Amino acid sequence: MLYGHGDDGYRYDRQIIADFSTNVWYGGEPVGLKEYVFGRWSQVNRYPEVVAESLREKIARHHQISAGQVLVCSGTTESIYLVAQLFTGKRTTIVTPSFSEYEDACQLFDHEITYLNWQDALEIPRLKTDLVFICSPNNPTGLLFQDLQYWLKLNPQCLFAVDEAFIDFTWERNSVISLMKKFPNLLIMRSLTKTYAIPGLRLGYVLAHKDIFSQLIRIKQPWTVNAMALAAGDFIFDHFESIQPPVSQLLEDKRTFVQELSKIEALQIYKSDTHFFLGRTMVRNAAQLKEYLVEKHGLLIRDACNFRGLTRQHFRLATQSPESNEKIVNALREWQKLYY
């Protein structure tokens, strides 16, 4: 799906004061990253590393795994399409509702797709598929998937592609990376664009068993990660401990934000394990709510109707600064007075 994602404020003539439609950390890139990247501008005069070899080594050391288990990509989207290509024509399960690119990538490579509702997936069923795409924390619900270890054990014939793009925005940050040593049927996709607010640079990576890595690298295109993105990756892993966003404060702000939103009778707010969450308007629909918030208040939300399994009433919000959160709470109270 080329269109229909969040962060689409460019489509409006109205100035966007606060963007709740994107799950990217609102505080901007880490201090010093911009200067570091611009300082390596001369590298754009030459081709970048073919498969980001030096950054791959840094990521491997960070996670204490072999470099032969790390594949650097141009954002998680490239990772998704590579995995789908590797399983061309195979049977795939997608746990829904979730990121549309799993489905789009599978359709492009002629997969036989089965859709499994999140609640049914929690029952840990036996699967008759070759590949599973699951997002944890899930986009758009923000929920963490529990008991993945048991599911991996129950289905050794199936590769589980787990998208952890938002794992840094949870209290415990309990990645399933530690399970890789025990389960060769586990592949993890990580993003560097959300936590460090650089989605325009496109940077992420795959962690997988060496056999899966060797298959993926055979089909990967060269030079997909540009020199500026590689520079950003170097900076991130060279300064990792000192550049982490204040996630604990963000999640505390989210708690307050949700408490205020839950007082608005015209809305239903859903539980989430991260900084973003689903809501549902009890009047009109999410598209109309989105237009109202943009035109009247300069506030942007994510219309979530195009997530498989959701309705025209569903929308997604990502926690912003306390001041911005207060603005949209007041705007939504006004929405309730007008239409509820």
Side-chain angles (χ1 to χ4, degrees):
M1 179 174 61
L2 293 177
Y3 300 99
H5 297 286
D7 199 12
D8 59 349
Y10 65 89
R11 298 172 55 200
Y12 297 91
D13 294 331
R14 175 77 151 81
Q15 180 186 2
I16 301 301
I17 297 170
D19 186 355
F20 295 84
S21 75
T22 174
N23 298 333
V24 173
W25 160 237
Y26 72 82
E29 76 280 352
V31 173
L33 185 147
K34 178 181 176 180
E35 292 75 14
Y36 181 83
V37 170
F38 284 9
R40 297 177 75 176
W41 178 257
S42 62
Q43 295 188 9
V44 304
N45 301 130
R46 304 183 65 181
Y47 282 94
E49 296 173 4
V50 176
V51 288
E53 290 88 344
S54 60
L55 181 55
R56 188 173 74 190
E57 293 282 349
K58 288 185 179 183
I59 294 170
R61 287 196 297 271
H62 176 79
H63 290 296
Q64 299 181 320
I65 60 176
S66 164
Q69 294 179 273
V70 181
L71 189 66
V72 182
C73 295
S74 179
T76 301
T77 300
E78 185 192 4
S79 304
I80 293 167
Y81 279 79
L82 279 173
V83 173
Q85 183 181 352
L86 184 62
F87 282 79
T88 296
K90 299 293 187 178
R91 297 169 300 175
T92 297
T93 294
I94 300 175
V95 181
T96 61
S98 206
F99 189 40
S100 63
E101 297 300 336
Y102 310 141
E103 180 176 347
D104 291 351
C106 289
Q107 289 178 342
L108 180 63
F109 293 105
D110 299 320
H111 290 220
E112 179 185 327
I113 305 174
T114 298
Y115 302 99
L116 184 64
N117 178 271
W118 182 272
Q119 197 59 44
D120 293 335
L122 294 177
E123 299 297 321
I124 315 296
R126 288 188 181 274
L127 300 169
K128 297 180 180 180
T129 52
D130 306 292
L131 174 67
V132 172
F133 276 110
I134 183 166
C135 190
S136 181
N138 188 35
N139 177 20
T141 65
L143 295 172
L144 282 162
F145 191 84
Q146 307 298 328
D147 297 322
L148 183 64
Q149 181 171 351
Y150 182 70
W151 210 10
L152 287 160
K153 184 177 180 180
L154 192 64
N155 297 277
Q157 82 294 343
C158 183
L159 180 72
F160 285 75
V162 180
D163 186 346
E164 288 192 340
F166 304 104
I167 195 67
D168 291 336
F169 296 103
T170 59
W171 283 111
E172 301 297 332
R173 305 190 190 190
N174 284 335
S175 170
V176 295
I177 290 175
S178 62
L179 298 179
M180 288 178 58
K181 294 179 181 178
K182 188 175 181 181
F183 297 100
N185 59 326
L186 173 61
L187 176 148
I188 299 166
M189 299 178 289
R190 300 293 294 266
S191 170
L192 293 171
T193 63
K194 280 75 173 176
T195 307
Y196 307 107
I198 52 170
L201 284 178
R202 313 305 307 132
L203 186 62
Y205 56 94
V206 172
L207 306 178
H209 187 272
K210 59 183 181 180
D211 292 341
I212 298 296
F213 168 84
S214 64
Q215 295 175 59
L216 285 171
I217 203 164
R218 287 194 201 106
I219 61 174
K220 190 181 188 305
Q221 297 179 29
W223 307 307
T224 63
V225 183
N226 69 67
M228 296 295 93
L230 289 176
D234 285 339
F235 182 91
I236 288 167
F237 286 99
D238 287 345
H239 302 83
F240 191 83
E241 297 300 328
S242 63
I243 62 171
Q244 299 307 303
V247 172
S248 294
Q249 185 58 57
L250 177 65
L251 293 175
E252 284 294 338
D253 292 343
K254 177 245 182 166
R255 195 198 309 271
T256 302
F257 187 26
V258 166
Q259 286 174 348
E260 292 303 309
L261 289 171
S262 298
K263 297 175 184 177
I264 301 174
E265 295 180 1
L267 304 178
Q268 179 182 1
I269 304 299
Y270 294 81
K271 179 184 179 299
S272 162
D273 294 311
T274 186
H275 68 305
F276 61 86
F277 50 91
L278 277 180
R280 184 165 72 97
T281 177
M282 303 301 188
V283 292
R284 312 189 85 183
N285 59 53
Q288 291 167 320
L289 175 58
K290 179 180 178 180
E291 291 297 321
Y292 166 80
L293 289 170
V294 168
E295 297 301 330
K296 299 296 184 182
H297 299 277
L299 305 173
L300 186 64
I301 66 171
R302 169 70 154 91
D303 178 357
C305 73
N306 60 353
F307 285 97
R308 183 179 290 273
L310 299 185
T311 71
R312 296 174 64 218
Q313 279 67 48
H314 284 95
F315 60 92
R316 191 190 67 202
L317 296 176
T319 305
Q320 303 296 305
S321 69
E323 296 76 19
S324 294
N325 297 340
E326 184 178 6
K327 283 185 174 67
I328 199 168
V329 168
N330 290 334
L332 289 166
R333 286 174 180 151
E334 184 178 299
W335 165 264
Q336 175 172 268
K337 288 179 182 178
L338 287 172
Y339 301 110
Y340 190 59

